[in-house]
Short mmCIF file of all heavy atoms in Angstrom, two decimals:
data_model
loop_
_atom_site.label_atom_id
_atom_site.label_comp_id
_atom_site.label_asym_id
_atom_site.label_seq_id
_atom_site.Cartn_x
_atom_site.Cartn_y
_atom_site.Cartn_z
N LYS A 8 -37.00 -78.22 -41.92
CA LYS A 8 -36.15 -79.25 -41.36
C LYS A 8 -34.84 -79.31 -42.03
O LYS A 8 -33.75 -79.45 -41.46
CB LYS A 8 -36.80 -80.62 -41.41
CG LYS A 8 -37.88 -80.86 -40.32
CD LYS A 8 -38.38 -82.33 -40.39
CE LYS A 8 -39.43 -82.53 -39.33
NZ LYS A 8 -40.01 -83.86 -39.39
N ARG A 9 -34.88 -79.21 -43.37
CA ARG A 9 -33.64 -79.30 -44.17
C ARG A 9 -32.74 -78.10 -43.90
O ARG A 9 -31.55 -78.24 -43.72
CB ARG A 9 -34.03 -79.39 -45.63
CG ARG A 9 -32.78 -79.75 -46.49
CD ARG A 9 -33.17 -80.08 -47.95
NE ARG A 9 -34.01 -79.06 -48.57
CZ ARG A 9 -35.30 -79.31 -48.91
NH1 ARG A 9 -35.84 -80.50 -48.78
NH2 ARG A 9 -36.04 -78.37 -49.49
N SER A 10 -33.38 -76.89 -43.81
CA SER A 10 -32.51 -75.69 -43.65
C SER A 10 -32.02 -75.63 -42.24
O SER A 10 -30.92 -75.05 -42.01
CB SER A 10 -33.34 -74.45 -44.00
OG SER A 10 -34.43 -74.29 -43.12
N MET A 11 -32.68 -76.18 -41.25
CA MET A 11 -32.21 -76.09 -39.92
C MET A 11 -31.47 -77.31 -39.44
O MET A 11 -31.12 -77.44 -38.26
CB MET A 11 -33.42 -75.81 -38.96
CG MET A 11 -34.09 -74.51 -39.25
SD MET A 11 -35.19 -73.88 -38.05
CE MET A 11 -34.19 -73.67 -36.66
N ALA A 12 -31.24 -78.27 -40.36
CA ALA A 12 -30.52 -79.47 -40.02
C ALA A 12 -29.07 -79.09 -39.72
O ALA A 12 -28.52 -78.13 -40.25
CB ALA A 12 -30.58 -80.44 -41.17
N ARG A 13 -28.47 -79.81 -38.75
CA ARG A 13 -27.09 -79.53 -38.36
C ARG A 13 -26.17 -79.79 -39.52
O ARG A 13 -26.29 -80.78 -40.19
CB ARG A 13 -26.76 -80.45 -37.16
CG ARG A 13 -25.40 -80.25 -36.60
CD ARG A 13 -25.14 -81.22 -35.48
NE ARG A 13 -23.81 -81.08 -35.02
CZ ARG A 13 -23.38 -80.15 -34.17
NH1 ARG A 13 -24.19 -79.29 -33.63
NH2 ARG A 13 -22.09 -80.14 -33.82
N LYS A 14 -25.23 -78.84 -39.68
CA LYS A 14 -24.27 -79.04 -40.73
C LYS A 14 -22.91 -78.95 -40.13
O LYS A 14 -22.67 -78.17 -39.21
CB LYS A 14 -24.44 -77.92 -41.82
CG LYS A 14 -25.67 -78.03 -42.60
CD LYS A 14 -25.71 -76.83 -43.63
CE LYS A 14 -27.06 -76.86 -44.34
NZ LYS A 14 -27.22 -75.72 -45.19
N GLU A 15 -21.98 -79.58 -40.64
CA GLU A 15 -20.60 -79.52 -40.17
C GLU A 15 -19.97 -78.22 -40.61
O GLU A 15 -20.24 -77.79 -41.70
CB GLU A 15 -19.78 -80.70 -40.73
CG GLU A 15 -20.15 -82.06 -40.14
CD GLU A 15 -19.88 -82.14 -38.68
OE1 GLU A 15 -18.81 -81.60 -38.24
OE2 GLU A 15 -20.71 -82.69 -37.93
N ALA A 16 -19.16 -77.58 -39.74
CA ALA A 16 -18.50 -76.39 -40.06
C ALA A 16 -17.47 -76.61 -41.14
O ALA A 16 -16.89 -77.70 -41.17
CB ALA A 16 -17.85 -75.78 -38.84
N PRO A 17 -17.21 -75.57 -41.94
CA PRO A 17 -16.15 -75.80 -42.95
C PRO A 17 -14.80 -75.96 -42.28
O PRO A 17 -14.60 -75.55 -41.14
CB PRO A 17 -16.22 -74.55 -43.85
CG PRO A 17 -16.97 -73.56 -43.02
CD PRO A 17 -17.81 -74.31 -42.08
N ALA A 18 -13.84 -76.45 -43.03
CA ALA A 18 -12.48 -76.68 -42.48
C ALA A 18 -11.88 -75.38 -42.05
O ALA A 18 -11.97 -74.38 -42.82
CB ALA A 18 -11.64 -77.40 -43.51
N GLY A 19 -11.25 -75.36 -40.85
CA GLY A 19 -10.52 -74.17 -40.41
C GLY A 19 -11.42 -73.07 -39.80
O GLY A 19 -10.94 -72.00 -39.46
N PHE A 20 -12.68 -73.35 -39.71
CA PHE A 20 -13.63 -72.35 -39.22
C PHE A 20 -13.32 -72.02 -37.73
O PHE A 20 -13.23 -70.83 -37.37
CB PHE A 20 -15.07 -72.85 -39.38
CG PHE A 20 -16.06 -71.94 -38.76
CD1 PHE A 20 -16.42 -70.73 -39.44
CD2 PHE A 20 -16.72 -72.24 -37.56
CE1 PHE A 20 -17.37 -69.89 -38.91
CE2 PHE A 20 -17.64 -71.36 -37.04
CZ PHE A 20 -17.96 -70.18 -37.71
N ALA A 21 -13.11 -73.06 -36.96
CA ALA A 21 -12.84 -72.87 -35.53
C ALA A 21 -11.58 -72.04 -35.36
O ALA A 21 -11.49 -71.12 -34.52
CB ALA A 21 -12.72 -74.18 -34.79
N ASP A 22 -10.53 -72.36 -36.11
CA ASP A 22 -9.27 -71.61 -36.02
C ASP A 22 -9.46 -70.19 -36.38
O ASP A 22 -8.90 -69.27 -35.74
CB ASP A 22 -8.21 -72.27 -36.94
CG ASP A 22 -7.82 -73.68 -36.45
OD1 ASP A 22 -7.92 -73.90 -35.25
OD2 ASP A 22 -7.40 -74.49 -37.29
N ARG A 23 -10.22 -69.88 -37.44
CA ARG A 23 -10.40 -68.49 -37.85
C ARG A 23 -11.14 -67.72 -36.73
O ARG A 23 -10.80 -66.57 -36.43
CB ARG A 23 -11.20 -68.42 -39.15
CG ARG A 23 -10.46 -68.86 -40.41
CD ARG A 23 -11.14 -68.33 -41.66
NE ARG A 23 -12.47 -68.83 -41.84
CZ ARG A 23 -12.77 -69.99 -42.38
NH1 ARG A 23 -11.81 -70.81 -42.83
NH2 ARG A 23 -14.05 -70.39 -42.51
N VAL A 24 -12.10 -68.36 -36.16
CA VAL A 24 -12.86 -67.69 -35.05
C VAL A 24 -11.94 -67.36 -33.90
O VAL A 24 -11.96 -66.26 -33.36
CB VAL A 24 -14.02 -68.56 -34.60
CG1 VAL A 24 -14.67 -68.00 -33.32
CG2 VAL A 24 -15.10 -68.61 -35.71
N LEU A 25 -11.14 -68.34 -33.47
CA LEU A 25 -10.22 -68.15 -32.36
C LEU A 25 -9.22 -67.06 -32.66
O LEU A 25 -8.88 -66.20 -31.80
CB LEU A 25 -9.54 -69.47 -32.01
CG LEU A 25 -10.46 -70.50 -31.33
CD1 LEU A 25 -9.68 -71.82 -31.15
CD2 LEU A 25 -10.89 -69.96 -29.94
N ASP A 26 -8.69 -67.07 -33.90
CA ASP A 26 -7.75 -66.00 -34.25
C ASP A 26 -8.36 -64.61 -34.12
O ASP A 26 -7.74 -63.70 -33.65
CB ASP A 26 -7.24 -66.23 -35.69
CG ASP A 26 -6.30 -67.38 -35.81
OD1 ASP A 26 -5.77 -67.76 -34.72
OD2 ASP A 26 -6.03 -67.87 -36.92
N ARG A 27 -9.61 -64.54 -34.63
CA ARG A 27 -10.26 -63.20 -34.60
C ARG A 27 -10.50 -62.76 -33.14
O ARG A 27 -10.36 -61.61 -32.81
CB ARG A 27 -11.58 -63.26 -35.32
CG ARG A 27 -12.10 -61.85 -35.68
CD ARG A 27 -13.23 -61.91 -36.68
NE ARG A 27 -12.71 -62.37 -38.01
CZ ARG A 27 -13.49 -62.49 -39.10
NH1 ARG A 27 -14.81 -62.25 -38.98
NH2 ARG A 27 -13.04 -62.90 -40.22
N ILE A 28 -10.85 -63.72 -32.29
CA ILE A 28 -11.01 -63.39 -30.88
C ILE A 28 -9.74 -62.85 -30.28
O ILE A 28 -9.71 -61.82 -29.57
CB ILE A 28 -11.52 -64.62 -30.07
CG1 ILE A 28 -12.96 -64.97 -30.46
CG2 ILE A 28 -11.45 -64.32 -28.55
CD1 ILE A 28 -13.49 -66.25 -29.91
N ASP A 29 -8.62 -63.54 -30.59
CA ASP A 29 -7.33 -63.09 -30.06
C ASP A 29 -7.00 -61.69 -30.55
O ASP A 29 -6.45 -60.85 -29.79
CB ASP A 29 -6.25 -64.06 -30.47
CG ASP A 29 -6.31 -65.38 -29.72
OD1 ASP A 29 -6.99 -65.35 -28.65
OD2 ASP A 29 -5.77 -66.38 -30.17
N THR A 30 -7.25 -61.40 -31.83
CA THR A 30 -6.98 -60.13 -32.37
C THR A 30 -7.73 -58.99 -31.67
O THR A 30 -7.20 -57.94 -31.30
CB THR A 30 -7.28 -60.04 -33.90
OG1 THR A 30 -6.49 -61.10 -34.54
CG2 THR A 30 -6.91 -58.67 -34.44
N HIS A 31 -9.01 -59.26 -31.50
CA HIS A 31 -9.85 -58.24 -30.78
C HIS A 31 -9.38 -58.00 -29.35
O HIS A 31 -9.30 -56.89 -28.89
CB HIS A 31 -11.30 -58.74 -30.73
CG HIS A 31 -12.05 -58.49 -31.97
ND1 HIS A 31 -12.06 -57.32 -32.62
CD2 HIS A 31 -12.79 -59.34 -32.75
CE1 HIS A 31 -12.78 -57.43 -33.76
NE2 HIS A 31 -13.24 -58.62 -33.86
N ALA A 32 -9.00 -59.08 -28.67
CA ALA A 32 -8.52 -58.98 -27.28
C ALA A 32 -7.26 -58.14 -27.24
O ALA A 32 -7.01 -57.33 -26.37
CB ALA A 32 -8.32 -60.37 -26.66
#
Side-chain angles (χ1 to χ4, degrees):
Chain A
K8 280 186 179 176
R9 190 171 50 248
S10 63
M11 298 193 63
R13 184 181 173 84
K14 291 179 185 173
E15 289 297 321
F20 176 75
D22 293 333
R23 288 199 298 276
V24 170
L25 287 173
D26 286 343
R27 197 166 292 179
I28 290 171
D29 288 341
T30 302
H31 280 309

